[in-house]
Amino acid sequence: MTGIASTDRARESTGAAVEPNTAAAPAKIAEFLAAHGGPFYELQARLKLLHANALQSGRRAVLFVALAWGGPFLLGLPQSLSIDQGAYLADPGAWAKFFVAIAAFVLAEQQVERGLRIKLGQFTRAPLIAPTSMPAATHAVSVALQRRDSWLAELVCLALAAIAALLSFLNFHMSDVSFWAVEHSAEGNRITAAGWWSICVSLPLFVFLFLRGVWRHLVWAQLLRKIARLELRLVAAHPDGKGGLGFLSQYPNAYVFFVFGMSAAIAAAVMKHLLQQSVSMTTFSMIMSGWLAIVIAFFAYPLSAFSKPLARLKEAGLLMLGVQATRFHRAAERKVLGRNVLADTAPEPDEEMADPSKLFDTTNKLSSVLVSRASVVPVAAAALIPFAFAGATRLPYKEVFSVLKKLLLL
């Protein structure tokens, strides 16, 4: 008790220094806008494609899809109107990457920004961060903002997009058949105007938006992991069964559009393989299971940092409540029997105390794992549905959707 009292006096003596940081923390945390900042954001702002208070995701999605998907379509006319094998409209890869994925990545920005901002704000609304840790929390947010705005990070994304374009160029020259992007002949391959547009514009835009989204999620992940190491005011008997952090387990669902875009692109590649070669239902099930595991690991990485503090909370809570439960029930035993059944040699004062049994039971059910099936069902569905539709083109659709159902129920 003396140690606790001295700690409280020390905090009170430094109250003047802590209070300003505590008061400023909510405002600082509110500055973490996942879709703002960075050179690409600034470029779009200068082009009047978005504003600081309006991301205008819908309009930008239409514009980027028009550039990425519409460009090759217009350059390939009138052949683009064909639906024969090898035609632009019959290419699942072009639809998935240049239409669905790019639209999904852009539309996801507003959903992600709002979802993460609400989740981060809950740490100060509750409040879950101890006053002495508020300066460290605001510093962690400042570092995250610097990483979000990093020129180097976006240059690396752009460089990788350029490498992807170069690989696409080489792949087109190695093609042994003609299709909308390549005209194959005995003298060699000639890349069409639509093919050049896909190399120079469509594919780099797809890869850049994807890598930029992944980078910004990693920034968020590192921010959460830093917060997990702070002094947190968790509650062992919280009704959410996660010490008061249950709200955080729902954050992956802000990435539904982003995951759907990723999955559509990968599922299209699987679909191309299915159209060329047969794949067993077992192999396809393993592909779906493997992809779902990757997606869940993507979101489990930041959430796993809270397992250690939650485990410590549960252990300490059960020990403290166990002591209180022993004292309460020994007193109750004396009231009923007039004495304790065992070790009744030393008199014990009877004092009024609350029955901690319900709190003990609730604490005993506390989970140290924030990822659960219920919290990630929407994002898991977004990850698997494109694969289910791709598989249904060649495999028995009843079996494919049976696998989908089983994976979602795991």
Side-chain angles (χ1 to χ4, degrees):
M1 293 297 291
T2 303
I4 296 174
S6 63
T7 301
D8 290 340
R9 285 195 297 273
R11 289 180 181 177
E12 289 172 5
S13 67
T14 58
V18 172
E19 285 302 322
N21 289 319
T22 304
K28 187 65 179 178
I29 286 176
E31 292 178 14
F32 186 81
L33 301 174
H36 282 61
F40 186 59
Y41 173 87
E42 295 299 333
L43 175 62
Q44 293 177 88
R46 290 182 181 182
L47 295 174
K48 308 298 183 184
L49 299 179
L50 49 73
H51 306 285
N53 58 350
L55 291 174
Q56 301 186 13
S57 298
R59 189 176 77 173
R60 288 188 299 118
V62 171
L63 174 62
F64 289 162
V65 168
L67 283 172
W69 186 88
F73 176 80
L74 293 175
L75 290 172
L77 289 173
Q79 289 83 2
S80 295
L81 297 174
S82 172
I83 56 173
D84 295 334
Q85 185 176 357
Y88 187 67
L89 291 181
D91 186 353
W95 280 102
K97 288 183 288 188
F98 306 153
F99 195 104
V100 175
I102 285 179
F105 294 159
V106 178
L107 292 174
E109 291 180 4
Q110 190 163 339
Q111 186 184 32
V112 168
E113 183 167 274
R114 180 178 179 275
L116 301 193
R117 188 178 185 182
I118 291 173
K119 299 297 183 288
L120 195 57
Q122 188 69 8
F123 280 99
T124 57
R125 283 190 294 267
L128 289 170
I129 301 174
T132 51
S133 290
M134 279 298 183
T138 55
H139 176 70
V141 172
S142 296
V143 172
L145 289 171
Q146 292 173 6
R147 290 175 176 173
R148 181 202 68 180
D149 299 342
S150 170
W151 278 75
L152 178 60
E154 294 203 1
L155 283 175
V156 170
C157 292
L158 190 60
L160 292 174
I163 291 173
L166 176 61
L167 293 175
S168 177
F169 170 79
L170 296 175
N171 185 56
F172 284 172
H173 275 289
M174 293 174 61
S175 176
D176 55 0
V177 294
S178 295
F179 62 104
W180 63 269
V182 173
E183 290 181 1
H184 176 71
S185 66
E187 291 77 21
N189 290 354
R190 187 185 74 84
I191 300 176
T192 65
W196 277 113
W197 186 273
S198 72
I199 291 172
C200 299
V201 178
S202 305
L203 185 63
L205 181 60
F206 161 75
V207 175
F208 176 78
L209 291 176
F210 165 68
L211 293 176
R212 182 173 178 264
V214 171
W215 165 251
R216 294 196 169 208
H217 179 263
L218 290 176
V219 170
W220 162 256
Q222 289 304 115
L223 174 59
L224 283 189
R225 294 185 72 85
K226 286 184 178 180
I227 290 175
R229 292 194 291 267
L230 301 178
E231 184 182 0
L232 300 177
R233 304 172 66 186
L234 304 180
V235 182
H238 197 285
D240 69 3
K242 299 182 188 299
L245 293 172
F247 70 94
L248 197 57
S249 66
Q250 303 288 334
Y251 102 80
N253 293 325
Y255 283 85
V256 165
F257 284 157
F258 188 81
V259 170
F260 186 81
M262 286 195 302
S263 300
I266 297 173
V270 173
M271 183 177 176
K272 275 190 174 182
H273 185 77
L274 287 172
L275 293 174
Q276 295 171 2
Q277 300 179 21
S278 61
V279 175
S280 68
M281 194 65 228
T282 302
T283 302
F284 187 74
S285 299
M286 292 176 65
I287 292 172
M288 290 182 69
S289 302
W291 175 240
L292 180 60
I294 291 171
V295 170
I296 296 214
F298 184 69
F299 297 112
Y301 168 67
L303 294 177
S304 64
F306 293 92
S307 294
K308 190 173 181 179
L310 285 172
R312 289 200 305 264
L313 173 70
K314 183 175 183 178
E315 181 183 15
L318 289 176
L319 287 173
M320 294 176 67
L321 289 168
V323 169
Q324 186 75 351
T326 299
R327 294 174 60 194
F328 176 84
H329 287 289
R330 279 181 65 83
E333 190 177 75
R334 286 195 299 275
K335 287 180 181 179
V336 174
L337 302 178
R339 55 161 291 170
N340 288 120
V341 176
L342 295 177
D344 192 49
T345 54
E348 299 180 35
D350 290 331
E351 53 182 317
E352 291 295 327
M353 64 181 73
D355 183 359
S357 299
K358 289 185 178 180
L359 288 178
F360 186 92
D361 290 340
T362 304
T363 302
N364 199 35
K365 296 175 183 176
L366 183 138
S367 172
S368 61
V369 179
L370 290 182
V371 179
S372 64
R373 183 185 65 83
S375 65
V376 295
V377 164
V379 77
L384 294 176
I385 286 175
F387 282 85
F389 279 104
T393 59
R394 287 291 178 180
L395 297 169
Y397 73 91
K398 288 186 177 179
E399 294 184 27
V400 171
F401 286 100
S402 174
V403 171
L404 172 65
K405 183 179 178 181
K406 289 177 181 176
L407 290 174
L408 289 177
L409 291 176
L410 283 176

